[in-house]
Amino acid sequence: DTAVSQTPKYLVTQMGNDKSIKCEQNLGHDTMYWYKQDSKKFLKIMFSYNNKELIINETVPNRFSPKSPDKAHLNLHINSLELGDSAVYFCASSQRAGGWETQYFGPGTRLLVL
Amino acid sequence: GENVEQHPSTLSVQEGDSAVIKCTYSDSASNYFPWYKQELGKGPQLIIDIRSNVGEKKDQRIAVTLNKTAKHFSLHITETQPEDSAVYFCAASLGGFQKLVFGTGTRLLVSP
């Protein structure tokens, strides 16, 4: 009964490849997020969608493209992977949009670019 | 600009001691302050939160205090146990924006 799930859990790939990470939430929430956590554990928001509409788009290379086919899903596609993309990527969701809303995180996808 | 500072970066205590982690924020419009616990290999989990109309909140062994005038808030864990060992993150809502800004994390180690 995982609330926020991500696949895959681990992803090892070569530089230059294209990869996708998937996220699903079964909490009935309207809003979903992608965060990047680097090797120093810094958590930084990348994107947020509310009811399938992009509402937050931080300074992220345009090689990263989120897609929300419906409220319960938010996927992240990364083109032309670079070494610096190696990190843990977390999906999260909240009932509604707004910084005052409680966010629930998924287990993370550990991406290693060789 | 958006900034949340968190101290200390690492904290080692003996089982049974108390642990205190402090955060300061820069946006006076911030009104929501959650704390997350991240265990090894897992995602951050909300452990307690506080809103700006409240000065203190308690849940069993954990408590959070908020000083809006000074723009700082703290997490207090009493009677620490080895299972409290984890990385703890504070966060603050960014006034007028739909996002949270996270602190840099505190690695807490509780030794038996």
Side-chain angles (χ1 to χ4, degrees), chain B residues 22 61 68 75 93 102:
Chain B
K22 298 182 178 183
R61 294 187 298 107
K68 281 223 80 179
L75 178 71
S93 61
F102 282 80

Side-chain angles (χ1 to χ4, degrees), chain A residues 3 7-9 12 41 43 57 59 63-64 67 101 108 113:
Chain A
T7 52
K9 190 169 183 182
V12 182
K41 296 288 189 184
L43 258 175
N57 187 352
T59 310
R63 298 182 294 103
F64 289 78
K67 275 196 173 56
E101 292 286 330
V113 182

Side-chain angles (χ1 to χ4, degrees), chain B:
Chain B
E2 59 210 64
N3 193 30
V4 176
E5 292 188 6
Q6 183 170 347
H7 299 282
S9 56
T10 57
L11 179 57
S12 293
V13 300
Q14 291 291 123
E15 184 176 0
D17 288 350
S18 293
V20 180
I21 303 170
K22 298 182 178 183
C23 288
T24 58
Y25 60 99
S26 55
D27 186 357
S28 56
S30 295
N31 60 5
Y32 175 60
F33 309 91
W35 285 89
Y36 285 84
K37 175 183 181 184
Q38 185 177 19
E39 296 176 339
L40 195 62
K42 295 185 178 179
Q45 298 297 311
L46 179 76
I47 55 172
I48 195 167
D49 57 13
I50 192 167
R51 297 185 188 271
S52 59
N53 56 347
V54 174
E56 183 175 356
K57 186 175 176 181
K58 232 178 177 179
D59 183 3
Q60 299 182 349
R61 294 187 298 107
I62 59 174
V64 57
T65 58
L66 171 65
N67 183 329
K68 281 223 80 179
T69 305
K71 295 201 200 109
H72 64 72
F73 56 114
S74 302
L75 178 71
H76 304 253
I77 306 174
T78 57
E79 299 171 30
T80 53
Q81 300 165 4
E83 50 265 40
D84 294 330
S85 296
V87 179
Y88 290 80
F89 291 95
C90 64
S93 61
L94 190 61
F97 293 88
Q98 298 176 13
K99 64 179 183 180
L100 287 173
V101 178
F102 282 80
T104 47
T106 296
R107 188 176 299 277
L108 174 65
L109 177 61
V110 181
S111 304

Side-chain angles (χ1 to χ4, degrees), chain A residues 37 55 58 100 102-103 110, chain B residues 32 36 38 41 51 98:
Chain A
Q37 186 173 49
I55 57 171
E58 293 291 288
W100 53 87
T102 301
Q103 295 184 21
R110 283 137 191 87
Chain B
Y32 175 60
Y36 285 84
Q38 185 177 19
R51 297 185 188 271
Q98 298 176 13

